[in-house]
Amino acid sequence: MSTPRNISIAMGLLALAGSVAVADAAKIYRWTDRNGVTHYGDSAPGGQHSDAVRAGSVKEIRVQVEPSAIARLRVESDEGRYLAYADNTLAGPIEVMLSFASTNNIVGDPPLPARATVKPRSSALVAVLTAADPGRGGDFELRMDSLPGDPNARPGDVEYVLPLSQPDFRIDQGYGGQFSHTDTQNRYAVDFAADEGTPVLAAREGVVMQVESDFDKAGLNRERYGGRANFVRILHDDGTMALYAHLRTEGVLVRVGQRVRGGQQIGLSGNTGFTTGPHLHFAVQVNRGMRLESIPFRMRGPAGPLRIASGAP
């Protein structure tokens, strides 16, 4: 069997109002030492190096970041066959689907497309690829789509607490809002009006599964800003996931893998991504088998059970 000429990876991203995923760091540092030499790094100089830095020379430089996938496809050669693994980068389960983008004399076991559920921060063998006719060479291209959540999640009947630390609040867009709550991932989302910097609270106990805090711009161009909202995704014990989005730049106050209690502050509201202005986008989501869906939820506000109307008020 010949070595594949090309293995291409196309990764699926989770969506908010467009696509959202973990991104690389959004800033670097530049400084000049006492000898006049310029240095660059992903953190500011300090500790034993601080004395060698020319006073006032440290500059923070914002850089453009791109979303990256929640999982990585890894292919290893093994005695004439190829092992296709999915590496989960999140602190919660994900589901992946591996398929051929093209194939020449290559088959999968199990046959592609094949699905697998991958545990938090671990790897899973999705398929073994071999030649259909061992007497001929072959080549292939692979595609792997991925979604957060376990498809076997069973949502419980839970009352959520208000995710904002403010006595007065307003819902700007409710269930099925025509601006950005028309797709399955956001149909049962709620947009709470919130000034930038308003404390955002966990509406329910869970584990921080995924965060993004480096984006710093907002706008109404869905293609440009849809995948660039800061957010926190929290995994609950029943497999559901709460999404808190459009947070302020560096407005995430929890770390991936941290367990938080209901009512605990997890971030600061902001205005990032595809949005008309500052607000908090909140949704409870489940994976329905390679299909991320928002689901209705019950929530209690300061005056009692919250009535969530459809659309915008």
Side-chain angles (χ1 to χ4, degrees):
M1 178 177 176
S2 65
T3 300
R5 292 192 297 267
N6 184 26
I7 300 176
S8 67
I9 305 172
M11 309 294 281
L13 305 178
L14 67 97
L16 169 63
S19 295
V20 176
V22 181
D24 296 325
K27 58 188 175 184
I28 59 175
Y29 294 88
R30 180 183 64 201
W31 66 91
T32 304
D33 63 25
R34 295 185 182 278
N35 296 320
V37 178
T38 299
H39 301 264
Y40 292 86
D42 58 5
S43 60
Q48 61 180 352
H49 303 292
S50 58
D51 291 341
V53 177
R54 181 179 297 172
S57 71
V58 179
K59 304 295 182 183
E60 180 182 302
I61 304 172
R62 303 295 301 186
V63 297
Q64 180 67 40
V65 294
E66 293 295 332
S68 60
I70 64 176
R72 299 185 180 92
L73 174 59
R74 176 166 47 91
V75 180
E76 298 183 356
S77 177
D78 179 44
E79 298 182 350
R81 60 181 189 164
Y82 291 87
L83 311 181
Y85 291 90
D87 298 330
N88 181 2
T89 67
L90 304 187
I94 64 171
E95 185 181 19
V96 301
M97 182 170 67
L98 183 69
S99 56
F100 283 121
S102 66
T103 178
N104 171 27
N105 192 40
I106 304 296
V107 295
D109 180 19
L112 303 190
R115 297 185 185 184
T117 302
V118 190
K119 295 180 180 180
R121 289 174 167 169
S122 64
S123 301
L125 177 64
V126 184
V128 178
L129 310 177
T130 57
D133 180 357
R136 296 193 297 114
D139 52 56
F140 59 91
E141 293 183 357
L142 294 175
R143 172 186 175 90
M144 189 173 76
D145 296 302
S146 53
L147 279 179
D150 188 330
N152 296 315
R154 297 293 180 266
D157 184 15
V158 177
E159 184 177 67
Y160 291 76
V161 299
L162 190 70
L164 289 172
S165 179
Q166 59 181 34
D168 300 321
F169 65 92
R170 183 183 74 251
I171 295 177
D172 281 346
Q173 189 178 197
Y175 292 169
Q178 292 303 301
F179 175 70
S180 60
H181 295 177
T182 56
D183 63 323
T184 58
Q185 299 181 39
N186 300 288
R187 182 161 296 133
Y188 293 104
V190 175
D191 287 347
F192 294 96
D195 294 334
E196 291 196 42
T198 301
V200 174
L201 313 178
R204 180 183 173 186
E205 180 183 6
V207 174
V208 179
M209 180 178 183
Q210 184 183 13
V211 302
E212 168 57 60
S213 62
D214 288 331
F215 293 117
D216 61 357
K217 293 181 175 58
L220 296 178
N221 184 321
R222 186 185 293 268
E223 182 177 352
R224 180 176 181 182
Y225 296 108
R228 290 170 169 78
N230 297 325
F231 69 92
V232 173
R233 180 181 291 277
I234 293 180
L235 174 68
H236 308 132
D237 291 343
D238 60 1
T240 60
M241 301 168 289
L243 187 66
Y244 307 76
H246 303 300
L247 304 182
R248 193 168 76 178
T249 304
E250 299 183 347
V252 173
L253 303 181
V254 289
R255 66 183 184 279
V256 172
Q258 178 181 347
R259 189 166 189 90
V260 296
R261 65 184 184 278
Q264 178 178 338
Q265 184 174 358
I266 60 173
L268 298 169
S269 66
N271 183 35
T272 57
F274 179 63
T275 171
T276 58
H279 73 280
L280 175 68
H281 176 101
F282 176 83
V284 179
Q285 298 175 328
V286 291
N287 179 356
R288 296 298 194 192
M290 289 306 298
R291 190 177 73 253
L292 195 62
E293 293 186 1
S294 57
I295 60 175
F297 56 87
R298 295 189 297 112
M299 179 172 284
R300 176 170 291 274
L306 195 64
R307 180 180 177 274
I308 303 174
S310 298

